[in-house]
Amino acid sequence: MTDNGPAAMINVKQPGGALRPAVGNGSHNDTKAIQAIIDHANSINKHVFFPPGEYLVTDDILIKGSVELHGTQIGIAVIKASTPYANKIHNNQLPVRSVALNYLYFDGIQLLFKGSAKRSSTTSNITVDSCVFFSSRSPSMTPKALQNLGQLELRHLENSGVHKCVFLRDSNAFGVASKFSNTLGVQVTGNICGLDLSKMGWLSTQIEPVSHWQDQKQKLEFLRTHYNLTAD
């Protein structure tokens, strides 16, 4: 589907200037392009938009400051790890504040945001909203190595939130949906951990707001077919 996103955001497929565009075809390595765009957006306080596509990354994506990453609401923007759970999106500086990830689908990607035990270095205001976590392929790590791995991990954080996300393990991933340690004022609301992908009718009938989950249900049905995901 065509979705150029709001004008105020940098489109990763059409970033402009000297920035290299991401391809988003599932096979081209978009790591360097995405990292450069995120770094640029951070420097000018703009948001980054991922139109529909499958963005392959072969290394970690670093969040170095305040930035917002937005997927598309009318399609699916998947960030896909070349090796499941060997790549992550994380902050590599302290403190990092005011980071948002919305409407993104993470295939074998771990999100990790951490602060410090020192309150002056505490990472804060990290928001993950309406994202989907899954793995379309079996991780190369052993089940024992993965059993304590969280698809989303927040450590030493303040005033952050995880809202309306879906965490799928199915037969290709181990570990837990999310892990939190030493957090203060972190809200976790309206998330789904584990889902039978063959029985999703209740998503649009029992959860409010119905419109959000109806759209998400249709996208999950597409993921199930496209990636041959099994029931969690």
Side-chain angles (χ1 to χ4, degrees):
M1 301 178 67
T2 300
D3 186 356
N4 293 323
M9 296 187 186
I10 302 176
N11 187 324
V12 295
K13 289 187 177 181
Q14 299 174 340
L19 292 169
R20 180 193 308 172
V23 177
N25 65 358
S27 58
H28 183 272
N29 186 356
D30 286 322
T31 310
K32 290 184 178 180
I34 291 174
Q35 186 67 69
I37 292 169
I38 290 176
D39 292 346
H40 178 69
N42 177 64
S43 68
I44 61 174
N45 196 28
K46 277 197 173 182
H47 303 172
V48 177
F49 174 69
F50 289 79
E54 187 178 63
Y55 302 88
L56 177 68
V57 296
T58 60
D59 203 350
D60 294 346
I61 299 296
L62 305 178
I63 304 296
K64 303 175 182 179
S66 301
V67 68
E68 294 190 12
L69 309 182
H70 297 265
T72 170
Q73 295 187 46
I74 68 169
I76 297 176
V78 178
I79 300 179
K80 173 184 176 181
S82 56
T83 303
Y85 300 113
N87 305 127
K88 58 182 176 289
I89 297 177
H90 68 119
N91 65 298
N92 67 334
Q93 297 182 9
L94 295 175
V96 170
R97 299 188 172 98
S98 300
V99 174
L101 300 99
N102 303 319
Y103 289 97
L104 287 168
Y105 287 59
F106 300 105
D107 181 359
I109 295 279
Q110 181 196 29
L111 293 192
L112 172 61
F113 290 97
K114 58 184 180 179
S116 169
K118 297 180 180 179
R119 296 200 40 105
S120 59
S121 299
T122 299
T123 296
S124 63
N125 298 102
I126 309 296
T127 303
V128 183
D129 195 315
S130 303
C131 293
V132 175
F133 298 77
F134 69 100
S135 178
S136 63
R137 291 156 299 144
S138 298
S140 58
M141 290 178 277
T142 64
K144 184 176 181 181
L146 283 163
Q147 65 183 356
N148 292 318
L149 177 68
Q151 291 170 302
L152 166 66
E153 295 193 18
L154 304 181
R155 308 173 188 166
H156 293 286
L157 259 64
E158 292 184 356
N159 304 325
S160 300
V162 181
H163 311 289
K164 294 187 293 187
C165 293
V166 178
F167 298 88
L168 301 175
R169 281 201 316 175
D170 62 62
S171 59
N172 293 323
F174 303 92
V176 297
S178 54
K179 296 179 68 175
F180 306 89
S181 59
N182 297 292
T183 61
L184 177 65
V186 173
Q187 294 186 352
V188 184
T189 62
N191 300 283
I192 296 175
C193 301
L195 184 64
D196 186 343
L197 296 176
S198 64
K199 300 176 181 178
M200 293 190 291
W202 60 273
L203 277 178
S204 57
T205 58
Q206 298 181 18
I207 296 183
E208 298 291 346
V210 170
S211 58
H212 167 81
W213 290 106
Q214 179 63 44
D215 291 343
Q216 200 73 300
K217 172 178 172 288
Q218 294 172 349
K219 295 178 183 181
L220 289 168
E221 289 172 340
F222 170 81
L223 288 183
R224 177 194 178 197
T225 302
H226 184 72
Y227 292 108
N228 194 31
L229 299 180
T230 58
D232 185 346

